[in-house]
Amino acid sequence: MKENSSSNSGRPLAVFDLDNTLADTAHRQRYLERRPRDWAAFFAAAPHDPPLTEGVTLALESARECEVVYLTGRPERCRRDTLAWLVAHGLPEGRVWMRRNDDRRPARGTKLEILRRLAQNREIRVLVDDDELVCQDAERAGFTVVRARWAADSSALKEAQETEGRT
């Protein structure tokens, strides 16, 4: 996963997922419910995601004591839209790690790899994510996790995260 550049403040990190943690993807789930899945349309609709109040509030509160960073399974080609969305919704400025465009590994593997790399040099205060498998693996690895359970569940998204490695 790639990151954008930002200063390294030395404060603990609060790591936030995007989809169904900060951004409500319900309006674009329909693209994953059809066969074949329409990934281009799914990601093209991301700039129109409404913010999830609970996640945004937690990110803003976390920014008081932590450097907020973002760890998403979105592909790198979505970076410009993702950065614009974060700014438009008043989220804290922070580094963004995204999946390489050709990376199809499950989110649980890619995210844990980045968390471990971050933890080599910084304290990770918390990971906030909606993906139960990501949360379980992060907890097993010793990270403190907050499960983002404030968005509507999507079985299509869960299946896609685990089997297709797309978000």
Side-chain angles (χ1 to χ4, degrees):
M1 289 189 162
K2 290 185 175 181
E3 63 169 297
N4 69 345
S5 59
S6 181
S7 65
N8 187 351
S9 71
R11 296 191 305 157
L13 299 177
V15 182
F16 281 80
D17 173 46
L18 293 174
D19 293 335
N20 286 339
T21 298
L22 298 173
D24 187 350
T25 66
H27 71 101
R28 55 187 169 114
Q29 294 302 320
R30 65 184 184 272
Y31 299 117
L32 300 184
E33 293 165 357
R34 53 177 78 151
R35 298 283 187 206
R37 291 187 169 102
D38 188 346
W39 287 104
F42 178 77
F43 288 120
H48 307 292
D49 290 353
L52 289 164
T53 302
E54 297 90 335
V56 171
T57 299
L58 187 55
L60 293 171
E61 289 172 356
S62 296
R64 292 185 198 136
E65 294 184 15
C66 298
E67 179 183 340
V68 174
V69 298
Y70 305 95
L71 177 56
T72 180
R74 290 180 185 184
E76 184 63 38
R77 68 181 175 274
C78 298
R79 179 171 294 279
R80 184 178 311 191
D81 287 343
T82 298
L83 295 175
W85 188 92
L86 290 166
V87 169
H89 295 288
L91 282 139
E93 184 179 333
R95 292 173 290 172
V96 178
W97 279 270
M98 303 185 87
R99 180 187 298 276
R100 287 186 330 268
N101 288 329
D102 62 348
D103 187 346
R104 299 288 187 266
R105 294 174 294 159
R108 64 193 295 187
T110 58
K111 288 185 175 184
L112 192 58
E113 179 182 298
I114 296 296
L115 286 171
R116 285 184 170 138
R117 191 176 324 144
L118 290 171
Q120 290 175 355
N121 301 314
R122 300 286 291 279
E123 172 195 347
I124 297 180
R125 178 80 46 90
V126 67
L127 166 68
V128 183
D129 202 302
D130 70 305
D131 185 327
E132 183 60 29
L133 296 174
V134 169
C135 292
Q136 288 173 3
D137 283 1
E139 283 178 330
R140 276 190 219 108
F143 295 103
T144 300
V145 172
V146 171
R147 285 167 171 76
R149 293 189 170 136
W150 39 81
D153 260 357
S154 165
S155 58
L157 181 61
K158 284 181 182 179
E159 179 186 339
Q161 286 172 323
E162 189 56 23
T163 63
E164 295 184 34
R166 297 283 189 120
T167 185

